[in-house]
């Protein structure tokens, strides 16, 4: 059995999220600078050890004023906490193409357990002889669990921002040529 290392193809991947605004529509965002490293036994993703890091300063919501606000102390405090990270603790294979990934998400210095659903799209050879794997990642977290509580109250008494944040990411990994025999 050998350990296979997979790394992110950043040009074909997106680490995204959505949050309900004014309780009538979703605002989408992503982190433009992030890394994903996965180690598997051979090519078996049910054995995956996953590590994700994202640079908070790279948050992008298609609105520079909002992005600046998200980086400040009302939300992520990017100067104090420049990265968020995820480290898997368990991968559960539900079917040939669906996994539940459990892990620890660290934001703003707080680490909490999360559960994500991962749809496996398969493995293919690219035109240059490399091997790639594709995944769609989804889940939900409560932002206040990490101390991200800034909000506003609407005239109707409701909140301007949902506490729930939806994770929606597309990840393409490239198999590294070297493998380590265990």
């Amino acid at each position: 059995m050998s350990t296979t290392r997979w790394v992110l193809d950043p040009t074909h991947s997106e680490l995204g999220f959505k949050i309900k605004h004014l309780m009538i529509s979703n605002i989408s965002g992503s982190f433009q600078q992030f890394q994903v490293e996965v180690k598997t036994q051979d090519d078996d993703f049910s054995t995956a050890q996953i590590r994700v890091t994202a640079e908070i300063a790279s948050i992008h919501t298609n609105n520079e004023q909002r992005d600046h606000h998200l980086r400040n102390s009302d939300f992520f405090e990017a100067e104090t906490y420049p990265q968020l990270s995820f480290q898997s603790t368990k991968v559960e294979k539900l079917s040939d193409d669906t996994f539940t990934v459990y892990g620890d998400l660290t934001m703003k210095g707080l680490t909490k357990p999360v559960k994500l659903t991962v749809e496996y799209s398969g493995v293919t050879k690219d035109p240059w002889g490399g091997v790639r794997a594709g995944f769609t990642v989804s889940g939900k977290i409560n932002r206040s669990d990490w101390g991200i509580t800034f909000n506003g109250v609407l005239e109707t008494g409701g909140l301007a921002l949902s506490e729930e944040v939806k994770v929606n990411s597309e990840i393409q990994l490239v198999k590294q040529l070297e493998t380590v025999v265990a």
Side-chain angles (χ1 to χ4, degrees):
M1 198 175 280
S2 64
T3 300
T4 304
R5 186 170 167 256
W6 302 80
V7 296
L8 181 72
D9 175 352
T11 60
H12 298 103
S13 299
E14 179 179 277
L15 187 61
F17 61 89
K18 290 184 181 216
I19 186 168
K20 187 124 353 223
H21 180 254
L22 301 179
M23 301 309 157
I24 58 170
S25 64
N26 287 303
I27 299 298
S28 297
S30 64
F31 294 94
Q32 302 294 294
Q33 296 174 4
F34 65 101
Q35 294 295 318
V36 178
E37 281 193 36
V38 176
K39 291 181 182 174
T40 60
Q41 295 301 312
D42 297 317
D43 292 348
D44 180 1
F45 285 100
S46 69
T47 67
Q49 297 174 344
I50 305 158
R51 174 116 175 108
V52 179
T53 57
E55 300 299 322
I56 298 298
S58 74
I59 198 164
H60 179 74
T61 63
N62 214 24
N63 180 296
E64 185 54 43
Q65 183 177 358
R66 178 173 47 229
D67 296 346
H68 179 72
H69 190 205
L70 289 170
R71 291 180 198 114
N72 80 21
S73 61
D74 285 341
F75 290 94
F76 286 104
E77 296 183 68
E79 287 187 22
T80 304
Y81 306 103
Q83 288 186 329
L84 66 78
S85 66
F86 172 83
Q87 178 69 53
S88 66
T89 56
K90 177 182 170 185
V91 175
E92 182 179 340
K93 185 174 183 175
L94 303 177
S95 68
D96 286 345
D97 62 357
T98 307
F99 298 85
T100 300
V101 175
Y102 300 86
D104 293 325
L105 177 62
T106 302
M107 291 191 295
K108 291 186 70 173
L110 296 172
T111 301
K112 303 282 183 177
V114 298
K115 179 174 90 169
L116 302 169
T117 300
V118 178
E119 294 178 34
Y120 173 55
S121 300
V123 172
T124 191
K125 282 199 173 204
D126 64 30
W128 308 278
V131 176
R132 295 172 181 260
F135 305 88
T136 299
V137 181
S138 60
K140 297 176 185 176
I141 64 168
N142 186 319
R143 65 190 178 93
S144 63
D145 290 346
W146 285 270
I148 303 173
T149 57
F150 179 85
N151 220 328
V153 179
L154 302 174
E155 280 183 24
T156 58
L159 296 175
L161 297 172
S162 172
E163 294 298 310
E164 180 182 272
V165 178
K166 295 177 185 174
V167 175
N168 59 324
S169 299
E170 295 292 331
I171 304 296
Q172 192 174 117
L173 299 175
V174 180
K175 184 177 183 178
Q176 297 303 281
L177 296 177
E178 78 278 353
T179 56
V180 178
V181 178

